[in-house]
């Protein structure tokens, strides 16, 4: 990394006059220098000459697409810097693609990568950006902000039109220079040198009349346009005229003209693509029936360069290993217009050849755009199958435009495309109903296509189907698709598995997620383990998500000992930046939060789960996150506030049509628990509802038994627990055993209770659980402590620690207040109104109103005077122990 050069610079054609005055402008001290002018002013050639001679270190980047987004831009910068050997081995930019796939902030990623490089003492990095106008506004803003923050970064650029870099206010923050058309225009002396003519000759005068347009001089035009600064339309007309003149004048032979016309279909091309285009277009050397050779193709491209039609970029020996020819944009557009008019029969085959080449060169969106244009759905599906994540990340808004004219009839036949659109609409957070329509359509399309599909496609279609059904709330149907996809994958040959490419770990993750939500934890863990193993053996980052999913599943299932081990291993892995706190790592954060809750550490659990807040509006795991929030509120002694947050979250998700019946049933248990902790046993029973005839019956029985215990009804609790059979997960087994021990202890039956208390404590310690004890109503937990102390086996130590974090008070001695409610009740007789209460307790009036409603409800009254009377009759209230 000790050399100094800009890599990937286009070759300046022989015969092109070097204008040193422009090189000096690019070499200026400013952080940003932009050459801005319409096409034909020689911007790229001028910057290429500077870049090929400067002592600066950096990379040349040419933008091929319009509206380049932030993620695509940062990924491209990272890839070019890495290819040029300008990044340290551990740089976050080396894995930019994976990090961005996980939702990393592009600009934070760029800053981290370049600061780390600067910290290594490797000096300033220069980005030579050809075509700045192709950046989306968000990309321009982000790039300029990064330039302000990074002293070790400078940018040199060309642009065909004004952009945010031209804003006057920018000069107040940043040293910048703009090379205007007047500076890029040829002087009389430069025009004379370019034309090999006298400065006062008519030819030079015509060039100067065109505005000193370098392209005009290079094409040796005889009929220039008037005005001092030609427009793009003027230049397009000039090029069309130039082509006609060169053709009729005999300057270009038929072979060269046909070759340039055919190859203009590509934005850039190498010798292989140029030869393939020549074959498709049936171009033959005069008097020969065989196709053009590679040497003949190279000679034709060299001639195009010498005639000023384009430039060679890179070289076979360059770090990127890419040697491509790029036509000057307006030249290419002129010849492409001619191609579409003269060779319409060849267009589809030519576009397909270019699209396939672009896909091989890892330019998936360009390939997708061409494949859609010619209606080649087989190629469209190949591009989506191999690069759906990158396309979604870098070109999401463009996808909507690309497919907006595609009929629903066609989309019913294209499940991959439909799923891609569903994901794009879903992630925006504002188009949930449209996303659900596409999810349903993708599921339908996958079902209709799968019978005539190959094993790899069948596995992919069924995985798409299970994901679509799952996020649409159709859990039972999703399970059938997941099981079928799993069977296809397990029976697949090694050769077929190779066709899955980088998607194989992701398929196992999707299958496992459906199994998880079906409550089949062991099978889900098997799928996640396969994802992890495949990712590790093939270097695929999707396997990291499998590890995170394993940790979260183990924690939800109540196997906290194993969950902690997997989580500890996971954090030591090489994660792309931001993955751990984005969707891919969401189950790892969930696992860490649940582990903290089992230690009664509400603050750590809250910190972990807050890291996922940016994804709450769109993440399908929102019910799990909402449950953790609720338990955090319980441990903090704030059940009423937690209940309000839970109900608000459910309302938000219902509005988005994201509240599936199974999720709402699970959260009904959470809501019931909050109401019980708030002292409202009747409300808790009502929220819990009737026992379901499904896999949720066990959870319902456990929740009902807890309510019974809080109400001092241990016999009823035992009856509920006797109906709880076939517990599939450790969490349910731990809670059932703990509540059974608590009920027996509350009955005072020492002989029966002692062994069950010991069994419960031993099981909870083995599984790393502690929360089950904190959720035992206080009188029952105290009874367990007495039984354990008398038994003398040391079990009382864990029970006493749990008692300090007890979240559910027994309700047999009248209403139970939280600490804040008790303080308010004691102050109520002394205050004249809500404002005075708020001042006394140092909280807001709105908080007082919320707490008053809770106190009134627990006392069974409806007014302040009734509450004071009830409190006087009951005695001084105290907070729960």
């Amino acid at each position: 990394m000790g050399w100094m050069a800009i890599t990937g610079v286009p070759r300046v054609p022989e015969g092109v006059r070097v204008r040193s005055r422009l090189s000096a402008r690019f070499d200026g001290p400013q952080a940003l220098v932009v050459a801005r002018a319409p096409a034909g002013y020689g911007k790229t050639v001028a910057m290429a000459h500077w870049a090929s001679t400067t002592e600066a270190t950096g990379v040349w980047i040419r933008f091929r697409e319009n509206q380049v987004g932030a993620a695509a831009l940062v990924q491209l910068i990272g890839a070019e810097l890495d290819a040029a050997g300008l990044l340290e081995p551990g740089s976050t930019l080396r894995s930019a693609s994976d990090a961005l796939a996980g939702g990393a902030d592009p600009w934070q990623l760029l800053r981290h990568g370049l600061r780390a490089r600067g910290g290594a003492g490797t000096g300033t990095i220069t980005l030579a950006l050809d075509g700045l106008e192709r950046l989306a506004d968000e990309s321009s803003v982000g790039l300029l902000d990064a330039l302000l923050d990074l002293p070790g970064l400078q940018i040199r650029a060309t642009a065909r039109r004004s952009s945010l870099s031209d804003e006057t206010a920018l000069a107040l923050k940043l040293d910048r220079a703009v090379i205007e058309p007047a500076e890029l225009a040829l002087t009389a002396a430069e025009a004379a040198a370019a034309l090999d003519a006298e400065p006062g000759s008519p030819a030079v005068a015509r060039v100067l009349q065109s505005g000193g347009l370098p392209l005009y001089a290079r094409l040796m035009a005889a009929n220039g346009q008037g005005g001092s600064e030609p427009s793009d339309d003027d230049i397009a007309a000039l090029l069309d005229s130039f082509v006609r003149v060169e053709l009729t004048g005999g300057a270009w032979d038929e072979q060269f003209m046909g070759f340039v016309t055919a190859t203009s279909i590509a934005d850039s091309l190498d010798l292989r693509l140029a030869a393939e285009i020549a074959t498709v277009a049936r171009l033959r050397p005069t008097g020969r029936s065989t196709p053009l050779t590679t040497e003949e193709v190279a000679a034709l491209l060299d001639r195009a360069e010498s005639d000023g039609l384009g430039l060679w970029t890179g070289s076979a020996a360059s770090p990127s290993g890419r040697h491509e020819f790029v036509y000057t944009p307006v030249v290419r557009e002129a010849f492409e217009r001619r191609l579409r008019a003269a060779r319409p029969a060849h267009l589809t085959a030519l576009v397909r050849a270019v699209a396939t080449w672009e896909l091989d060169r890892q330019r998936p969106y360009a390939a997708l755009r061409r494949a859609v244009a010619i209606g080649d759905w087989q190629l469209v599906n190949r591009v989506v199958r191999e690069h759906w994540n990158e396309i979604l990340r870098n070109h999401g808004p463009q996808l909507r435009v690309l497919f907006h004219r595609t009929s629903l009839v066609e989309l019913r036949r294209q499940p991959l495309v439909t799923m891609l659109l569903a994901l794009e609409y879903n992630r925006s957070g504002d188009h949930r109903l449209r996303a659900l329509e596409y999810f349903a359509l993708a599921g339908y399309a996958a079902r209709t296509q799968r019978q005539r599909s190959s094993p790899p496609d069948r596995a992919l279609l069924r995985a798409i189907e299970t994901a679509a059904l799952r996020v649409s709330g159709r859990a039972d149907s999703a399970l059938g698709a997941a099981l079928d996809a799993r069977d296809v994958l397990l029976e697949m040959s090694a050769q077929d598995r190779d066709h899955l490419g980088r998607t194989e770990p992701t398929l196992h993750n999707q299958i496992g997620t459906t199994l998880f939500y079906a409550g089949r934890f062991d099978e889900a863990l098997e799928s996640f383990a396969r994802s992890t193993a495949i990712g590790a053996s093939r270097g695929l980052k999707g396997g990291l998500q499998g590890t995170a999913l394993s940790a979260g599943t183990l924690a939800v299932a109540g196997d906290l000992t194993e969950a902690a081990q997997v989580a500890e291993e996971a954090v030591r892995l090489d994660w792309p930046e931001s993955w751990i706190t984005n969707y891919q790592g969401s189950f790892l954060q969930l696992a860490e939060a649940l582990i903290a809750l089992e230690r009664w550490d509400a603050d750590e659990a809250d910190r972990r789960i807050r890291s996922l807040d940016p994804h709450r509006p769109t993440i399908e795991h929102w019910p799990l996150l909402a449950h953790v929030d609720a338990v955090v509120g319980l441990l903090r002694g704030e059940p009423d506030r937690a209940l309000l947050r839970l109900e608000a979250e459910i309302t938000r998700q219902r509005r988005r049509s994201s509240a599936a019946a199974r999720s709402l049933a699970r959260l009904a248990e959470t809501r019931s628990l909050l109401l019980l902790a708030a002292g409202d046993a009747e409300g808790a029973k009502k929220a819990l509802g009737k026992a379901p005839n499904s896999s949720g019956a066990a959870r319902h029985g456990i929740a009902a038994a807890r309510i019974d215990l809080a109400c001092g009804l241990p016999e009823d609790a035992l009856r509920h627990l006797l109906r709880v059979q076939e517990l599939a997960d450790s969490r349910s087994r731990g809670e059932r055993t703990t509540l059974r021990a608590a009920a027996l202890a509350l009955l005072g039956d020492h002989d029966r209770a002692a062994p069950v208390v010991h069994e419960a404590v031993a099981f909870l310690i083995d599984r790393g659980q502690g929360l089950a004890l904190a959720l035992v109503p206080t009188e029952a937990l105290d009874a367990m402590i007495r039984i354990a102390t008398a038994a003398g086996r040391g079990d009382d130590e864990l029970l006493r620690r749990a008692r300090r974090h007890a979240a559910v008070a027994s309700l047999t001695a009248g209403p139970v207040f939280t600490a804040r409610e008790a303080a308010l009740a004691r102050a109520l007789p002394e205050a004249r109104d809500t404002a005075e209460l708020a001042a006394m307790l140092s909280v807001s009036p709105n908080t007082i109103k919320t707490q008053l409603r809770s106190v009134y409800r627990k006392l069974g009254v409806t007014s302040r005077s009734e509450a004071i009377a009830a409190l006087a009759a009951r005695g001084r209230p105290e907070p729960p122990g």
Side-chain angles (χ1 to χ4, degrees), residues 484-768:
D484 187 34
R486 182 185 65 181
D487 292 344
V488 173
L489 281 172
L490 294 181
E491 295 168 5
M492 195 179 294
S493 68
Q495 183 178 6
D496 280 339
R497 190 167 285 111
D498 286 341
H499 291 306
L500 294 172
R502 301 177 62 85
T503 64
E504 190 174 1
T506 302
L507 300 187
H508 287 292
N509 291 337
Q510 288 298 329
I511 292 165
T513 301
T514 297
L515 292 168
F516 168 83
Y517 278 109
R520 299 168 72 152
F521 295 151
D522 289 342
E523 293 172 84
L525 288 168
E526 289 176 4
S527 289
F528 299 146
R530 292 188 188 101
S531 169
T532 299
I534 293 166
S537 64
R538 296 174 54 191
L540 301 176
K541 297 298 185 182
L544 294 172
Q545 187 180 3
T547 304
L549 287 164
S550 293
T553 299
L554 287 165
V556 170
D559 295 311
L560 281 303
T561 304
E562 291 80 2
Q565 292 172 351
V566 174
E568 185 177 347
E569 293 169 5
V571 297
R572 292 199 297 264
L573 298 174
D574 183 18
W575 291 78
E577 181 158 324
S578 298
W579 264 37
I580 282 184
T581 54
N582 285 328
Y583 181 81
Q584 284 81 355
S586 58
F587 259 46
L588 182 56
Q589 297 304 320
L590 175 67
E592 296 283 15
L594 291 172
I595 291 167
L597 290 177
E598 299 296 343
R599 298 194 302 261
W600 314 300
D601 187 347
D603 291 342
E604 174 63 11
D606 188 59
R607 186 183 72 82
R608 291 286 185 173
I609 219 69
R610 292 281 74 76
S611 69
L612 299 174
D613 278 353
H615 310 286
R616 289 282 183 116
T618 58
I619 196 168
E620 66 173 305
H621 308 312
W622 72 266
L624 295 169
L625 309 186
H627 176 75
V628 171
D629 280 340
V631 179
V632 167
L634 281 178
L635 293 179
R636 286 176 170 172
E638 301 172 344
D640 286 299
R641 182 174 295 181
L643 183 61
L644 289 174
R645 285 200 298 263
L646 177 63
E647 290 174 341
E649 180 68 13
I650 291 173
T651 299
R652 279 193 297 271
Q653 296 296 340
R654 274 181 167 148
R655 287 172 182 163
R656 294 190 65 248
S657 300
S658 296
R662 183 170 294 189
S663 297
L664 291 177
R666 182 67 181 86
L667 288 176
E669 298 166 18
T670 305
R671 187 169 180 272
S672 174
L673 177 60
L674 290 172
L675 286 165
L676 183 64
D680 187 358
E682 289 304 315
K685 291 177 184 178
K686 185 177 179 180
L688 192 58
K690 295 182 179 180
N693 297 319
S694 65
S695 59
R699 299 290 317 164
H700 183 279
I702 290 169
R706 184 180 288 110
I707 296 173
D708 291 334
L709 281 178
C711 294
L713 303 170
E715 296 92 344
D716 290 351
L718 288 171
R719 278 194 290 273
H720 273 117
L721 293 173
L722 282 173
R723 299 191 190 107
V724 176
Q725 303 295 330
E726 300 296 326
L727 295 174
D729 62 279
S730 297
R731 184 173 297 282
S732 297
R733 288 199 295 273
E735 291 187 356
R736 180 184 183 276
T737 304
T738 300
L739 291 175
R740 181 167 176 263
L744 292 171
L746 197 58
L747 285 170
D749 188 342
H750 182 278
D751 292 339
R752 290 179 61 199
V756 182
V757 169
H758 178 68
E759 177 190 353
V761 171
F763 182 87
L764 296 178
I765 291 174
D766 178 70
R767 294 294 81 210

Side-chain angles (χ1 to χ4, degrees), residues 160 240 264 328-338:
R160 292 175 67 169
D240 288 337
S264 69
T328 299
V330 289
V331 171
R332 192 191 68 76
E333 291 161 9
F335 279 101
E336 186 179 358
R337 287 192 291 273
R338 181 177 182 81

Side-chain angles (χ1 to χ4, degrees), residues 185-421:
L186 296 173
T187 64
E190 289 169 342
L195 298 172
D196 196 19
E198 294 297 324
S201 68
V204 170
R206 283 194 291 270
V207 170
L208 296 179
Q209 287 170 4
S210 77
L213 193 66
L215 179 61
Y216 195 102
R218 284 166 54 202
L219 298 179
M220 303 294 288
N223 54 347
Q225 303 291 323
S228 61
E229 186 176 318
S231 68
D232 284 343
D233 288 341
D234 293 335
I235 296 167
L238 166 65
L239 263 293
D240 288 337
S241 172
F242 166 74
V243 171
R244 290 193 298 271
V245 169
E246 293 299 296
L247 184 61
T248 57
W252 290 344
D253 57 71
E254 183 178 347
Q255 176 178 290
F256 180 70
M257 184 66 180
F259 177 81
V260 173
T261 301
T263 53
S264 69
I265 195 67
D267 292 324
S268 62
L269 65 165
D270 61 5
L271 293 178
R272 179 178 69 80
L273 177 59
E276 185 175 355
I277 288 174
T279 300
V280 171
R282 300 179 182 176
L283 301 178
R284 301 285 188 271
T286 304
R288 205 175 81 200
S289 60
T290 56
L292 294 170
T293 65
T294 301
E295 291 75 15
E296 288 167 334
V297 166
L300 289 167
L301 290 173
D302 284 341
R303 179 179 174 187
E305 183 183 53
S306 66
D307 281 4
L309 304 183
L311 299 170
W312 281 105
T313 63
S315 69
S318 69
S320 64
R322 293 184 174 180
H323 188 42
E324 297 178 12
F325 186 84
V326 180
Y327 285 109
T328 299
V330 289
V331 171
R332 192 191 68 76
E333 291 161 9
F335 279 101
E336 186 179 358
R337 287 192 291 273
R338 181 177 182 81
L339 171 67
R340 293 183 180 278
R343 292 177 175 268
H346 292 147
L347 274 176
T348 297
L350 289 171
V351 171
R352 182 180 294 113
V354 176
T356 303
W357 178 83
E358 288 172 329
L359 183 58
D360 291 342
R361 303 288 275 196
Q362 301 298 303
R363 297 167 191 168
Y365 185 73
L368 180 66
R369 183 168 47 81
R370 292 185 191 275
V372 171
I374 61 174
D376 188 338
W377 290 103
Q378 184 176 359
L379 183 55
V380 168
N381 284 317
R382 180 189 165 193
V383 176
V384 173
R385 183 185 301 111
E386 295 177 9
H387 296 281
W388 64 271
N389 204 343
E390 180 180 344
I391 292 170
L392 188 66
R393 178 183 72 245
N394 294 347
H395 304 281
Q398 293 160 277
L399 279 175
R400 304 185 196 183
V401 177
L402 184 62
F403 290 103
H404 81 284
R405 292 185 178 176
T406 305
S407 69
L408 291 178
V409 173
E410 186 61 60
L411 289 175
R412 286 192 187 99
R413 296 193 286 263
Q414 310 300 337
L416 293 180
V417 171
T418 310
M419 176 58 88
L420 192 67
L421 290 169

